[in-house]
Amino acid sequence: MICYTIESLKKVGVRDIIVVQGAKKEVEKELKKYDLRTKIQYVVQSKPKGMGNAVWQARNLIKDSFFVLHAHHFDVDEFLKSIIKKQKETNNKLVLLGKKTDKPWKHGIVELDKKNKDKVVNLVEQPKPGKEPSDIGIKGIYFVSKDFFQKYPRVKKHMYDFEDTLNLFIKEGQARIVITGKEPHSLKFPWELFEVNKKIFDKYLKRKIEKSAKISKNAVIQGRVYIGKNAKIYEGAVIKGPCFIGESCVIGNNSLVREYTDLEKDVLVGANAEVVRSILQEDVHIHSGFFGDSILGKGCRVGAGTVTANVRIDRSKIKSVVKGEKVDTGLNSFGVVTGENTRLGINCSLMPGKLIGSNCLIGPRTMVSENIKDNTSFYTEFKRIKKTIK
């Protein structure tokens, strides 16, 4: 997604890019595999202390005004032109992107000047219901003057000190907003990957089968399907695009893979499995069963007969528990999300919207009807019932 975001920035002439990454420098290692044909510099934020601290790490590399955005904003080119235009018209030091929301308590909400409807006079982060100054939420794409680095040391340091620094610009009358009718992509919760994945497929995916892929003569490949190098598609398998089948993947006999499924490198889909609208990260192995609207982390192993229930029996919206609170995903179809290296035994039943951590062990014939934390062994005991037949 960062590669796509960089390509999007290049479309509007932004070619001097700074990537803020974690201490392991995983992003830098990955991006250096690609020829992105632009200047990229990297800085490290050793601990996740919020966006303000992240921007602060880049202070020695920034010589002029700059944009701040999240790595998943691969559609940023659709918004920057209007932000640039607004800045040139007003000569303000801060320009925000905003959109109307019916859930203002989940966003940073702006208060607008009564006369100049594009002038921001206050910014409130996640206001309490009924206390919001407007219904315009900011959307994580900002034009900021280099004065940020003079103002940031003046605010108290916490997770939302970026917004506090923006408020210093606002109080000095230096902030404007562009209100868009289109929703920029969000990636706060794991299930939002489904929509991001769909947008990427719709925009970029083309039908292509690498020459080294081995495909059985009676396998069926329909629509926009990419099949990577050394992939193997066995007899009776059906792939209905749009789908991405990565390098060295194996699709077993009579399996069905369909509709916005993303199988990364070295994924194994065993015989008689069905996978739909799911993301299986590298080196995931699954066997017979049904996997719908689910995300399986790198290195997971799933036994035969496992089923992800991806729709509620009453067909209502699916809610997930995040930090002890139920969150409405807004989805009618949503299976499970697992972390990395989790293993599930045969015939497991996974209920909709459940989140399973990394390095977990789920016993055979287990029903997962609640979230499971990292490094947990979880199983259901079945008592043997003896019945005497006379």
Side-chain angles (χ1 to χ4, degrees), residues 230-232 245-251 263-267:
N230 302 311
K232 296 179 180 179
I245 311 299
E247 180 179 342
S248 300
C249 284
V250 176
I251 312 297
L263 307 183
E264 294 296 325
K265 183 180 178 182
D266 295 320
V267 166

Side-chain angles (χ1 to χ4, degrees), residues 20 43 45 50-60 62 66 68 148-149 162:
V20 184
V43 297
Q45 184 186 30
M51 187 180 288
N53 179 266
V55 175
W56 181 251
Q57 306 310 312
R59 63 193 182 278
N60 294 327
I62 295 176
F66 57 100
V68 178
F148 177 92
F149 300 108
F162 179 77

Side-chain angles (χ1 to χ4, degrees), residues 241-270:
C243 289
F244 178 92
I245 311 299
E247 180 179 342
S248 300
C249 284
V250 176
I251 312 297
N253 299 78
N254 304 313
S255 286
L256 172 61
V257 179
R258 61 186 177 95
E259 295 173 27
Y260 295 101
T261 287
D262 176 8
L263 307 183
E264 294 296 325
K265 183 180 178 182
D266 295 320
V267 166
L268 166 67
V269 176

